[in-house]
Amino acid sequence: MKKMFLIISREYSERARKKSFIITTLLTPILMIGIMIAPSLMMLYNTSDQKQIVVVDRSGLVADKLQSSDELLFMPHDNISKAEACKIYNEESGIFAILYIGSEVESRDSVQLITNASSSMMLESNITSQLNEIVEQEKLRKLNIDNLDEILAQVETNIALSTYINDGTGEEDSMESTSSDISYILSLVLGMMLYMIIILYGSMVLTSVVEEKSSRVLDVIVTSCTPFQIMMGKIMGIALVALTQIAIWAALVIAASKFLVPAILSEDVAATNDMMMQAMMGTIGNTAYIASLFAYMLLFILGGFLLYASLYAAAGSAVDSVQDGQQYNTIIMIPIILSIIVMMSVFNDPNSPIAFWFSMIPFTSPIVMIARIPFGIAAWEIWLSIGILYATFIFTTWLAAKIYRIGIFMHGKKPSWKELAQWLRMK
Amino acid sequence: MNAILSVENVSKSYTGHKALDDVSIEVPRGAVYGLLGPNGAGKTTLIRVINRLTIADSGRVLLDGKTMSADDIFHIGYMPEERGLYKKMRVGEQAIFFARLKGLDKREAEHRLHTWFERLGLKDWWNRAVEDLSKGMAQKVQFISTVVHEPKLLIFDEPFSGFDPINANILKEEILGLRDRGATIIFSTHNMASVEEICDHITLINKSRNILSGSVDEIRRAAGGNTFEIMHRADDVTFRSAIEGIAEVLGESRGVVGGYTATKIHIARNEDVHDVIAHLNDRCQLRSMQEIMPSMNDIFIRAVNGTL
């Protein structure tokens, strides 16, 4: 036990003191926030040239009602034939496209966009939505209703749905409010974080076992302790590094939830009418809830990491170079990737049979279950899943140790699956 | 014989290649035991079997007369040929890590290591990363890590490779010092000069088999078999005729200061040395007679070529 502790502390201090660890730990939250903000920033500063579109409108309904914007400039044109238009406004003309509208706007193939360069989804949806609106307006106008604009303004509706979990009282104050949108975001972030940590730290185990083996450090260490101590020491040491990282992140988020969010909430957000934004800030500001999420996450990360790390350690012990390890790495990755796919379906229905069963199967449960938790899952399901996960971890570790204790002494060619099976049976 | 370690009839095959073929050795307590042999003879495999890094197909290894168990390897200090150190770790921390793994407590480990580092001139490197060390220095660190817990049995695989003559000499002195303090040392080498200087016993392994085992003196004497150098004052013809039939002259005689001639002779196996002396004493003026022992280098080459 003392020796395993020595190995754990060596593995831990070697990694946790590295500059790269400190930098990634502090930079990742900043990077994450950056990724969330980046798309809107990009939109803000994305100033592509204004595209000129010549509009040939045989129906006479649309041309002057199309709204130009920074991106698009609609230029109504005299009625000419399609062929003629195409001839004049070819590639050299500098015109981006010709919008050709037949005399019957709504008939099939009547509206055509003939472009000189590749078009985009944004541009096409801009045009169709404008056309739809214009034609709709036109139809309404034909009905000859008085005060049409007034009526339309009255009719416009924007319903905000508040969701609560039934606690038998029916009081808004006591019932926990939920929001699928926020659950969705939380579940995505948690699931992805788990995925990242398992892959990152799992392959760290593989690399480090291979390095120790090929540098022959292992030959020296095994004369002092058992292969099992070395393997568990390494896995635990790296697990501690992962936990340290998460603890720092959790501390940052919880601190933000406790101090930063209330400050923002009181000033700006409370003033806005954006229900979604308010709910979001409310959830993130709910410190107890955030802390409980992190607690579950720690349990699942630890279980998931230990489970996969034992597999990675076995794979690393069987090969001489990281390249050779890739084959095993790929196989280990399959259930992890599968979890991500199932996680996506969780968002549609967190209580579907698929979501349930994959959150019980230990190889996919960490990611799938942590993605389900924000939607509100019965406690027994969570604890059952944790129980199965940890039981499986003990089993795979036992299995991995059998491969490891032989693998680390084998140098030379990569073992076949048959040989691996033999190692398992060896006493 | 009071053997600390016995290897009995050990064989080990890898796919399509026999690395050890029925090898037995006995290592006397307190000896410096050399494992010699050409490259690829099976020395390292034997060492790995002793260290339980490789499982033998058959045969057994006894430590202190008992079949070796997993716990016994903790009493062995092992330095592999390919040096095993964590490259990124600091030298001092690493040495302490290994020493504590071997069961020393932290303070004791630090104390002993500082002494060793001082002695081998590594003091200034305590806080440097291992990857900054030269090969020779890394090897010294490895050596210290192997011996710091003072195990009763030490096994070095090619300890002198990578050392310049000065450092090789320092290492040699340290190995002899460890023996004087009661350790038994096994090492493999191709460096024959070091064998003559520090080994008490050797085993010569060639093509996976133990072809020669025993104490260095006995082996040299046996291989030398009745070769003597005689200092005398006689002309060549007289000398040759004096020993005719009982011994033969080897090579050229050479003149020595003071008018003496040195001649090497080989005495036929069934003749007595005394007879030769008697014959010579009748005919020439003798000054001295000395037994010539072959160098380990000669023995090694002759044994490997099968002409011993």
Side-chain angles (χ1 to χ4, degrees), chain B residues 133-157:
Chain B
L133 298 183
S134 72
K135 193 180 169 200
M137 281 191 284
Q139 208 155 327
K140 280 185 186 173
V141 175
Q142 184 104 51
F143 176 78
I144 294 172
S145 305
T146 311
V147 303
V148 69
H149 63 300
E150 295 177 358
K152 56 183 177 181
L153 180 60
L154 285 160
I155 302 177
F156 302 117
D157 201 352

Side-chain angles (χ1 to χ4, degrees), chain A residues 281-398:
Chain A
M281 285 302 170
T283 308
I284 296 177
N286 182 348
T287 312
Y289 178 63
I290 293 285
S292 81
L293 271 186
F294 266 113
Y296 279 129
M297 194 167 109
L298 279 184
L299 278 176
F300 277 105
I301 283 195
L302 195 63
F305 169 77
L306 291 175
L307 176 65
Y308 277 101
S310 61
L311 299 182
Y312 275 118
S317 74
V319 296
D320 274 344
S321 67
V322 179
Q323 285 91 329
D324 284 345
Q326 280 312 317
Q327 186 200 331
Y328 299 112
N329 196 3
T330 317
I331 291 164
I332 297 171
M333 290 277 289
I334 291 172
I336 305 183
I337 305 282
L338 187 67
S339 326
I340 290 293
I341 297 168
V342 174
M343 182 179 95
M344 298 299 169
S345 86
V346 165
F347 301 146
N348 292 328
D349 184 0
N351 286 310
S352 68
I354 285 189
F356 176 80
W357 286 110
F358 277 93
S359 61
M360 290 299 151
I361 298 170
F363 291 93
T364 53
S365 68
I367 292 175
V368 177
M369 192 46 121
I370 201 73
R372 287 179 70 200
I373 289 176
F375 292 97
I377 297 294
W380 70 266
E381 279 190 30
I382 300 177
W383 289 105
L384 177 61
S385 168
I386 289 175
I388 297 175
L389 180 63
Y390 280 81
T392 316
F393 144 66
I394 291 168
F395 173 70
T396 53
T397 304
W398 174 77

Side-chain angles (χ1 to χ4, degrees), chain A residues 255-276:
Chain A
S257 144
K258 194 141 187 69
F259 305 111
L260 208 61
V261 176
I264 299 170
L265 196 64
S266 54
E267 287 159 25
D268 304 327
V269 184
T272 71
N273 292 322
D274 192 329
M275 297 295 286
M276 160 88 184

